Amino acid sequence: MREFGYERAFDVSGAVALIGSDPDARFLGGGTNLVDLMKTGVERPALLVDVRELPLDRIELERDGGLRIGATVTNSDLAAHPDVRRHYPALAQAVLAGASGQLRNMATVGGNLLQRTRCGYFTDISRPCNRRSPGSGCPAVGGEHHNHAILGASEHCIATHPSDMAVALAAFDAVISYETADGPGELPIDGFYPPVGDTPHIETTLPPGALITGVTLPPAPVAARSRYRKVRERASFAFAIGSIAGALDVEDGVVREVRLALGAVASMPWRARAAERLLVGGPASAEAFAAAADAELAAAEALPDNGYKVTLMRNLIVAVLTELTEEVSR
Amino acid sequence: MTPSTSSAITLNINGEKYTLPVDHRTTLLDALREHLDLTGSKKGCDLGQCGACTVLLDGRRAVSCLQLAVAAEGRAITTIEGVADGERLHPVQQAFLDLDGYQCGYCTPGQICSAIAVIEEHAAGWPSAATDDVRPEAGVPALSAEEIRERMSGNLCRCGAYVSIVQAVAQAAEVQGKEAVA
């Protein structure tokens, strides 16, 4: 591991000033991903600015019914919070589905959004990777890719975004707040993760040196009836091979509002807008759910070893919408 | 200006203060084991995946292999060496002994530290991925074997002593529940 300097920040402006425009400096939150990547040589920062003690650890229910979540709130505190569990249960479930109890105590909301792909070629510095080392190639396309993307990928990178939390945030139209030396800014989660294209190394649209300060969830009554479901290769403590955050409002058998976001299928949490558009105003039936799933997955491009994900995601969409419909009628 | 790559830090471990110089690259686990002779916390994977290095930071379980020592300054660190009350074992330690919650013992300090926190998290009403309904109105689920397995999933046991580990955690939770009522 490369030697590095360490500074602890106690206010947001101080943290942003410490990072400055140094491309070799990194913010340190819980460190559960960054320290791991430093050990394997993927990350080689010269300076760490510890932001864990910034006063950004609050979760507040806003007057309009939305929720404001500070960037240094831990995954554990997010999942345990009564307002999260009551108003956005799929968000609590998504966070609880990720990592282990120890890691959830350490990891922060800001860091969770910025965590890196677990593609085995990205994390192995002896192998080429366009995301880690632009222009070096992507061995996953012709190599080990059974857990890689089926939507929105390119020949340059087929890695998936690993976060469970971000999938629920995408379903609920989260807005990400940040601070730079030039002042604050906001980015909707739709657009926070740019399309892969030929620049997989550009992982977010945050300005250089920006510090995530929080996430705002707009009020969404539909979210009170929501679920997160995750499929993985063992029962617990594993990344998804497919996941879904869904929310549904049905009246007299007709879909009034629906939210769907898919995980482990793309380089970003995948908001299933084609499926949503097809569902709203139509019947809450298994046939309609399957048709919506097919519409969303029509653009899927599978490689030899990840085609199962198309079937898996179709079944997940139908299953979660069916469960939510049953919950409505209860 | 090149920043300094080492610092003199003071760590609060099991209620005692230790001052030591550390290279910033030093993890809390290495500081405990290599610098302070507190070798109860074990190094398994060193990548946050096995839980053998689990300690409590400000009362919450964490993997010390991904925690930089310099970033742990100012926090209350509890290791396996600090969980007993003098000669009286912690109820979780006693339960692991009573029910053979181990075979080789290497993962046991991490299992015990993790289990202590699991019981507290459950008592505080935290749901888990095994919890059917996470809404607060649904109340706290009982600490069933399924809940224990899910909540303890960050601790691997290569000997496969899981059956008795789950029983030990359940027994300790029951003992502590009774003590809390008494």
Side-chain angles (χ1 to χ4, degrees):
Chain A
M1 198 188 294
R2 180 183 178 181
E3 291 184 304
F4 58 86
Y6 171 89
E7 300 282 351
R8 201 177 285 200
F10 296 96
D11 56 67
V12 169
S13 58
V16 170
L18 279 166
I19 285 276
S21 54
D22 183 353
D24 278 349
R26 293 285 184 276
F27 292 117
L28 174 69
T32 55
N33 191 207
L34 180 58
V35 174
D36 199 14
L37 292 174
M38 287 163 65
K39 288 187 180 191
T40 49
V42 174
E43 281 286 345
R44 302 181 71 252
L47 173 68
L48 291 186
V49 175
D50 190 341
V51 295
R52 211 189 55 85
E53 291 190 19
L54 294 182
L56 301 171
D57 59 348
R58 300 277 303 269
I59 299 175
E60 283 161 303
L61 193 62
E62 301 198 299
R63 241 177 240 157
D64 63 3
L67 204 63
R68 164 90 194 165
I69 304 161
T72 64
V73 168
T74 62
N75 284 18
S76 294
D77 284 326
L78 181 62
H81 199 277
D83 287 324
V84 176
R85 291 157 60 192
R86 184 176 296 120
H87 301 292
Y88 304 89
L91 175 57
Q93 290 174 333
V95 172
L96 291 170
S100 65
Q102 290 95 318
L103 295 175
R104 289 193 294 273
N105 278 339
M106 301 170 79
T108 62
V109 167
N112 192 325
L113 288 167
L114 296 178
Q115 66 174 305
R116 317 293 288 280
T117 184
R118 296 325 196 268
C119 172
Y121 299 105
F122 174 80
T123 54
D124 179 352
I125 60 167
S126 74
R127 306 299 300 268
C129 170
N130 287 326
R131 188 172 284 265
R132 172 169 36 75
S133 178
S136 61
C138 175
V141 174
E144 172 56 53
H145 60 246
H146 80 282
N147 196 14
H148 283 63
I150 54 167
L151 289 165
S154 81
E155 62 185 304
H156 303 285
C157 180
I158 56 170
T160 58
H161 196 268
S163 173
D164 292 293
M165 179 192 77
V167 180
L169 293 183
F172 300 142
D173 290 324
V175 176
I176 295 150
S177 309
Y178 62 83
E179 187 79 23
T180 68
D182 300 327
E186 283 187 350
L187 284 167
I189 194 163
D190 235 4
F192 182 78
Y193 301 106
V196 186
D198 56 5
T199 54
H201 60 287
I202 301 174
E203 295 181 325
T204 76
T205 51
L206 276 177
L211 172 73
I212 294 179
T213 52
V215 173
T216 304
L217 294 178
V222 68
R225 189 170 294 114
S226 64
R227 283 182 182 228
Y228 187 76
R229 191 147 160 199
K230 175 175 180 176
V231 178
R232 40 191 160 179
E233 289 173 332
R234 60 183 187 190
S236 182
F237 195 14
F239 288 94
I241 56 172
S243 73
I244 179 170
L248 184 68
D249 186 13
V250 175
E251 196 175 309
D252 298 329
V254 175
V255 175
R256 279 171 45 130
E257 195 178 354
V258 61
R259 305 285 184 92
L260 286 175
L262 313 179
V265 291
S267 64
M268 62 186 83
W270 189 266
R271 182 73 180 267
R273 292 197 186 276
E276 290 179 8
R277 275 194 298 272
L278 212 57
L279 286 164
V280 172
S285 67
E287 295 73 29
F289 298 157
D294 288 338
E296 188 64 47
L297 296 164
E301 287 184 49
L303 290 159
D305 296 332
N306 66 357
Y308 74 93
K309 285 198 182 194
V310 181
T311 316
L312 173 66
M313 296 316 298
R314 183 183 193 271
N315 291 345
L316 271 178
I317 292 171
V318 174
V320 163
L321 288 174
T322 304
E323 285 167 9
L324 287 167
T325 307
E326 286 165 2
E327 206 177 305
V328 175
S329 59
R330 227 177 279 154
Chain B
M1 190 187 78
T2 309
S4 171
T5 58
S6 62
S7 300
I9 62 169
T10 300
L11 295 178
N12 176 354
I13 305 165
N14 303 326
E16 282 186 47
K17 288 200 159 45
Y18 298 81
T19 298
L20 66 159
V22 289
D23 181 309
H24 293 158
R25 294 173 292 186
T26 312
T27 62
L28 176 58
L29 177 60
D30 284 341
L32 293 169
R33 292 183 55 83
E34 310 296 335
H35 297 249
L36 301 172
D37 212 21
L38 290 164
T39 55
S41 306
K42 298 293 188 268
K43 184 180 283 192
C45 68
D46 209 25
L47 292 168
Q49 297 173 6
C50 77
C53 65
T54 301
V55 299
L56 305 177
L57 290 181
D58 296 327
R60 292 192 173 186
R61 55 185 168 147
V63 283
S64 58
C65 73
L66 294 182
Q67 172 68 47
L68 295 173
V70 64
E73 189 169 33
R75 306 186 70 180
I77 302 158
T78 307
T79 68
I80 190 67
E81 288 91 345
V83 301
D85 179 11
E87 290 301 303
R88 186 169 168 255
L89 292 179
H90 189 283
V92 174
Q93 291 177 303
Q94 190 60 53
F96 269 70
L97 277 174
D98 293 347
L99 292 156
D100 277 337
Y102 49 83
Q103 185 172 314
C104 82
Y106 193 79
C107 71
T108 310
Q111 299 275 2
I112 289 174
C113 285
S114 196
I116 289 170
V118 162
I119 293 167
E120 286 173 8
E121 291 165 9
H122 177 259
W126 290 15
S128 84
T131 307
D132 196 39
D133 187 346
V134 298
R135 284 175 288 200
E137 292 74 19
V140 192
L143 199 53
S144 63
E146 187 193 1
E147 283 281 352
I148 292 171
R149 280 195 291 269
E150 164 57 29
R151 290 168 190 262
M152 291 292 291
S153 71
N155 292 82
L156 302 186
C157 168
R158 261 21 209 148
C159 302
Y162 295 113
V163 173
S164 38
I165 290 171
V166 170
Q167 290 170 350
V169 177
Q171 176 183 298
E174 207 182 312
V175 168
Q176 286 187 270
K178 278 182 192 148
E179 281 176 5
V181 174

